[in-house]
Amino acid sequence: MLTYNYYGHACFQLDDGTTKILVDPFLTGNPQASISEKDVKADYILITHAHGDHIGDAPNIAVRTNATVVGIPEIMDFGGQRVKTIGMNLGGTIKTEFGFVRMVPALHSSGIGGGVACGYVIGVGGKIIYFAGDTALFSDMKLIGERDKIDYAILPIGGHYTMDPIDAAKAAAFLDAANVIPLHYDTWDIIKQDAQDLVKLVEFAKVHIVKPGQSLELK
Ligand code: NI
Ligand code: MN
């Protein structure tokens, strides 16, 4: 069984019962945070880019949990603290004990001098999960959907910094995703959205609206 645990904003954890993959762990200062950085569990931490609402508490969590941090090399600076890291780059795939992680492009700034923002395709628990990270809509999402059959696409819909529901619905179509989970909205007024707009706009995928603190079994 594969579980999606949503902790608010762009932070979630995928748990296949053995391995816990924590993504973009911004918890301290996150108005939606449903768990503390002191309690959250992780074997791997995936980071999409160095904006504070994504890299967040990653250094502290990595030190406490001994999790392996995955991201582009430019953001792997943990101030001399001993953290296990896997630096990779766009188009690269790493094989892991749970499956694989592929780093894919995102159209967004990196939040740091040098480097780029990214998304991830994650093979875990017999499913393929695509997390777009922070991004604008781009037509090469079609290529991501052509290489892997996307079971769940986790997409930002807040607008202002990322796609809004209109572009996220187009992204779901480009990806040919079977299911869509929106995030990165309602955290602050500037990214307030009605997730029902996404439900109305997505034609072929099933949209799952998961609230901070809620979990969803990924079937
Ligand atoms: Ni960002
Ligand atoms: Mn963001």
Side-chain angles (χ1 to χ4, degrees):
M1 188 168 109
L2 182 64
T3 307
Y4 170 83
N5 296 311
Y6 182 44
Y7 296 137
H9 193 56
C11 179
F12 63 91
Q13 181 204 63
L14 298 172
D15 184 352
D16 70 354
T18 305
T19 306
K20 293 175 171 64
I21 307 162
L22 182 66
V23 182
D24 281 356
F26 163 56
L27 297 168
T28 303
N30 175 353
Q32 292 186 336
S34 61
I35 194 166
S36 156
E37 60 109 344
K38 293 185 169 57
D39 297 322
V40 73
K41 294 192 170 77
D43 298 297
Y44 286 84
I45 302 173
L46 272 48
I47 302 174
T48 60
H49 63 297
H51 284 146
D53 62 319
H54 295 263
I55 199 163
D57 300 295
N60 284 348
I61 297 167
V63 169
R64 177 177 58 77
T65 61
N66 203 32
T68 300
V69 182
V70 178
I72 57 163
E74 286 82 353
I75 65 171
M76 295 295 191
D77 179 6
F78 297 100
Q81 295 183 99
R82 270 194 208 171
V83 173
K84 287 187 287 184
T85 61
I86 299 177
M88 60 188 300
N89 221 309
L90 303 179
T93 303
I94 54 167
K95 293 228 163 86
T96 59
E97 70 272 24
F98 60 79
F100 72 87
V101 174
R102 176 171 303 116
M103 183 178 275
V104 293
L107 263 187
H108 191 73
S109 61
S110 65
I112 200 166
V116 291
C118 71
Y120 289 102
V121 177
I122 307 162
V124 59
K127 301 287 174 207
I128 305 285
I129 315 297
Y130 166 62
F131 174 45
D134 278 5
T135 189
L137 177 66
F138 56 97
S139 58
D140 281 0
M141 285 176 176
K142 284 181 187 169
L143 300 177
I144 296 171
E146 282 176 16
R147 173 149 178 174
D148 292 294
K149 178 88 198 81
I150 307 293
D151 294 301
Y152 286 82
I154 304 172
L155 304 175
I157 64 161
H160 194 95
Y161 303 110
T162 69
M163 297 190 287
D164 60 10
I166 296 169
D167 280 352
K170 182 61 112 176
F174 279 167
L175 292 158
D176 195 21
N179 298 273
V180 175
I181 303 173
L183 45 52
H184 207 279
Y185 67 102
D186 284 359
T187 318
W188 303 281
D189 282 348
I190 200 166
I191 54 171
K192 207 160 183 49
Q193 293 289 344
D194 184 351
Q196 289 302 327
D197 290 345
L198 184 72
V199 175
K200 286 175 204 149
L201 289 164
V202 169
E203 283 187 80
F204 301 109
K206 183 163 194 255
V207 178
H208 305 262
I209 296 172
V210 183
K211 299 255 158 61
Q214 290 183 338
S215 298
L216 178 72
E217 187 187 337
L218 304 186
K219 296 183 198 168

